[in-house]
Amino acid sequence: MPPTELATTLVVLDLVGIFVFAVTGALVAVRKNLDLFAALVLGGVTGLGGGFVRDVLIGATPPAALADWRYLMVPVAAGLLTFAFHPVIGRLERVVTLFDAFGLALFCVTGALKAVDYGLGPLPAALLGMVTGIGGGILRDVLAGRVPVIFEGALYATPALTGALVAVLLDRADLPLGVVAAAGFSTCLGFRLLALVRGWRAPLPKGPANV
Amino acid sequence: MPPTELATTLVVLDLVGIFVFAVTGALVAVRKNLDLFAALVLGGVTGLGGGFVRDVLIGATPPAALADWRYLMVPVAAGLLTFAFHPVIGRLERVVTLFDAFGLALFCVTGALKAVDYGLGPLPAALLGMVTGIGGGILRDVLAGRVPVIFEGALYATPALTGALVAVLLDRADLPLGVVAAAGFSTCLGFRLLALVRGWRAPLPKGPANV
Amino acid sequence: MPPTELATTLVVLDLVGIFVFAVTGALVAVRKNLDLFAALVLGGVTGLGGGFVRDVLIGATPPAALADWRYLMVPVAAGLLTFAFHPVIGRLERVVTLFDAFGLALFCVTGALKAVDYGLGPLPAALLGMVTGIGGGILRDVLAGRVPVIFEGALYATPALTGALVAVLLDRADLPLGVVAAAGFSTCLGFRLLALVRGWRAPLPKGPANV
């Protein structure tokens, strides 16, 4: 692809990821019987929050999404649609989960590579890639007054960290950006989908917790 | 007014807004039976948190309030007074709500104009104005372990966004700062007070949420 | 001590403080029956979160801990150990509390002095020292879905603020760094341990809260 097409593809993929994340945020608001504004805020926070946390931590402020109205409009559209059609979207839970895995795979790679661009080492960059992927969902759950779902056994952050690490290490090996991104993306997506299909869970603590 | 008087007026207004917001934060602490320190922290977070989030996002760090001891002392005073006299202040709920609307109207305008000063476009600047107005209250509720009250139907963020938008658009039209600020402020305040008087609520989701 | 040894000592102390804080974070995760990943995240957030909040507020991004793999590995080790041996560590609660007081005393001083280095005045610098000491624990509790324990009467933040203030004021008096740090550290540690031994509590609100 010529460079312009590649850039366009990346923006479109990014917007799709933000859209799906925002749908999960707005669904949480609806299921807690919160109002339309909460659906928009939780949608926006879920879609953009991970990137905002990354940008604030690496000093890339103001975050790019604040300079591009498309990035602000996409979660608004997702929030409005989810608020209006939540009974339908709620029944499509499996489709939402699938697309959510896609967004996770995308954000962990783009987040990690942006951190590398800002001069961070491989390990912190991979961590920030993971934060980009999972941060929005954590903020969503905290704002909705529940313990983040990814703390209760779902295998979600580990695929993100693995995909980010693959991308960062291949990037260090000076492979072309397309290869780097595709490898990190596929690793995270494949790992996440396998975990969903096989029912893999993160380990829970054993023994008495003697609170 | 000569410029010095205007600047003094602005600082005084700002401090009044922070004071009232801090009172609402300390009241939440008292009502949750939290300790004096919690009253001070929730007061400080409610009064200054929205501006801190805005400043971190636009890269205006350290936030101005950290460089001016008056901005730090006002929430302390509000927290101490509320902690000591909460039975009286709690009975003045309507007065607190009125002043809170005043603080909201002030912060959404000053927040939006500061974001414009830092080079943000009209839509992101208006969003950050809204964040300046509502962010402190959201942080207060999250720290106090409750779902943000503005997610449950209160018409609070919409007036802030509207007032911020009015200010940003008039500022683009190169009107004098006094006019810009007065118009944004009155829009937000009028909208918020109307919502309170008429009992307007943000829409809640319809239909089964099929959790 | 020659300068190199002093620097090494400081890093070792810092890592010990982060380790203990991370243990308290992972213990909260285990006691809430959250998964291994939650133990690592809550450990990391508790150990590093206070410093991250300080660095973001003073504009020292990316935070130093992100540039040094040792700072990232220590909470991981603490989280893994706590997850595996929580019944033993849980029984050592008093030891953990003791080391936690040590971490608090260390972080309030290093945090305050870093804020001074970034040009903040005495009062904001002392506040940021307190934030460095208590911020990680507050984030831990919010992420774990509970009201921050330090809001419910524990005398924890006041020693941190006092120690930070002592360090900042002595630093202003141009005393040698070793004296400044030792005085601030001892003030906070002594105050905190006295509060623990004597059962001192922060005041709770009096009278009806008329919710």
Side-chain angles (χ1 to χ4, degrees):
Chain A
M1 276 190 280
T4 328
E5 274 187 41
L6 179 63
T8 310
T9 311
L10 274 178
V11 168
V12 170
L13 286 177
D14 221 17
L15 293 177
V16 171
I18 291 167
F19 185 88
V20 186
F21 272 32
V23 166
T24 74
L27 269 182
V28 169
V30 167
R31 285 172 178 179
K32 287 229 156 197
N33 204 33
L34 303 177
D35 66 27
L36 171 60
F37 170 73
L40 295 175
V41 169
L42 291 187
V45 161
T46 314
L48 302 172
F52 277 21
V53 171
R54 177 205 56 216
D55 286 348
V56 163
L57 282 176
I58 64 178
T61 49
L66 281 181
D68 186 337
W69 63 270
R70 293 172 300 182
Y71 282 77
L72 297 176
M73 282 299 104
V74 161
V76 170
L80 290 175
L81 286 172
T82 306
F83 191 80
F85 303 115
H86 65 91
V88 180
I89 294 172
R91 254 176 277 133
L92 299 174
E93 187 99 47
R94 287 167 148 263
V95 181
V96 172
T97 304
L98 190 72
F99 274 96
D100 182 85
F102 162 87
L104 182 72
L106 188 70
F107 291 160
C108 75
V109 170
T110 55
L113 295 179
K114 179 160 187 184
V116 168
D117 268 355
Y118 273 76
L120 273 79
L123 187 61
L127 266 176
L128 284 175
M130 182 188 78
V131 165
T132 311
I134 71 174
I138 291 179
L139 287 175
R140 169 198 68 203
D141 291 342
V142 166
L143 285 177
R146 67 182 200 188
V147 173
V149 287
I150 66 165
F151 286 175
E152 305 191 299
L155 214 60
Y156 191 86
T158 317
L161 183 59
T162 313
L165 212 49
V166 165
V168 166
L169 294 177
L170 293 183
D171 182 65
R172 282 222 127 186
D174 264 334
L175 291 178
L177 187 59
V179 175
V180 166
F185 179 86
S186 323
T187 303
C188 174
L189 185 63
F191 191 169
R192 172 72 183 135
L193 292 183
L194 264 175
L196 280 170
V197 171
R198 302 256 171 124
W200 289 344
R201 309 282 294 168
L204 291 171
K206 281 174 205 150
N210 61 337
V211 179
Chain B
M1 275 190 280
T4 329
E5 272 187 44
L6 178 64
T8 310
T9 311
L10 274 178
V11 168
V12 170
L13 286 176
D14 219 17
L15 294 177
V16 171
I18 291 168
F19 185 88
V20 186
F21 271 33
V23 166
T24 73
L27 268 183
V28 169
V30 167
R31 286 172 177 179
K32 286 229 153 197
N33 204 33
L34 302 176
D35 65 26
L36 171 60
F37 170 72
L40 295 174
V41 169
L42 291 187
V45 161
T46 314
L48 302 172
F52 278 20
V53 171
R54 174 204 60 215
D55 286 348
V56 163
L57 283 176
I58 64 177
T61 51
L66 281 180
D68 185 335
W69 64 270
R70 293 171 300 181
Y71 282 76
L72 297 175
M73 281 300 104
V74 161
V76 169
L80 290 174
L81 286 173
T82 306
F83 191 81
F85 303 114
H86 65 91
V88 180
I89 295 172
R91 253 177 278 135
L92 300 173
E93 188 98 49
R94 286 168 150 265
V95 182
V96 173
T97 304
L98 190 72
F99 275 96
D100 183 85
F102 161 86
L104 181 71
L106 188 70
F107 291 161
C108 74
V109 170
T110 55
L113 295 179
K114 179 159 186 185
V116 168
D117 267 355
Y118 273 76
L120 273 78
L123 186 61
L127 265 175
L128 284 174
M130 182 188 78
V131 165
T132 310
I134 72 175
I138 291 179
L139 286 174
R140 169 198 68 203
D141 291 341
V142 166
L143 285 176
R146 67 181 200 188
V147 173
V149 287
I150 65 164
F151 286 176
E152 305 189 301
L155 214 60
Y156 191 85
T158 316
L161 184 59
T162 312
L165 212 48
V166 165
V168 166
L169 294 178
L170 295 183
D171 182 64
R172 283 221 126 186
D174 265 332
L175 291 178
L177 187 59
V179 175
V180 166
F185 179 86
S186 324
T187 303
C188 174
L189 185 63
F191 191 169
R192 172 74 183 133
L193 292 183
L194 263 176
L196 281 170
V197 171
R198 302 256 172 124
W200 291 343
R201 310 281 294 167
L204 290 171
K206 281 174 205 151
N210 62 337
V211 178
Chain C
M1 276 189 280
T4 330
E5 273 186 44
L6 178 63
T8 310
T9 310
L10 273 178
V11 168
V12 170
L13 287 177
D14 220 17
L15 293 177
V16 171
I18 291 168
F19 184 88
V20 187
F21 271 33
V23 166
T24 73
L27 269 182
V28 169
V30 167
R31 285 171 179 181
K32 286 229 156 197
N33 204 35
L34 302 177
D35 66 28
L36 171 60
F37 170 73
L40 295 175
V41 169
L42 291 187
V45 161
T46 315
L48 302 173
F52 278 22
V53 171
R54 176 204 58 216
D55 287 348
V56 163
L57 282 176
I58 63 178
T61 50
L66 280 180
D68 186 335
W69 63 270
R70 294 171 300 183
Y71 282 77
L72 297 175
M73 282 299 103
V74 161
V76 170
L80 289 175
L81 285 172
T82 306
F83 191 80
F85 304 114
H86 65 90
V88 181
I89 295 171
R91 253 176 278 135
L92 299 174
E93 188 99 48
R94 287 168 147 263
V95 182
V96 173
T97 304
L98 191 71
F99 275 96
D100 184 85
F102 161 86
L104 182 72
L106 188 69
F107 291 160
C108 74
V109 170
T110 56
L113 295 178
K114 179 160 186 183
V116 169
D117 269 354
Y118 274 75
L120 273 78
L123 186 62
L127 265 177
L128 284 174
M130 182 189 77
V131 165
T132 311
I134 71 174
I138 291 179
L139 286 175
R140 169 198 68 205
D141 291 341
V142 166
L143 285 176
R146 65 181 199 188
V147 173
V149 288
I150 65 166
F151 285 176
E152 305 189 299
L155 214 60
Y156 191 86
T158 316
L161 183 60
T162 313
L165 212 49
V166 165
V168 166
L169 294 177
L170 294 183
D171 183 65
R172 282 223 127 185
D174 265 332
L175 291 178
L177 187 58
V179 175
V180 166
F185 179 87
S186 325
T187 304
C188 174
L189 186 64
F191 191 169
R192 172 74 183 134
L193 292 183
L194 264 175
L196 281 170
V197 171
R198 302 256 172 124
W200 290 343
R201 311 280 295 166
L204 290 172
K206 279 175 207 151
N210 61 336
V211 178

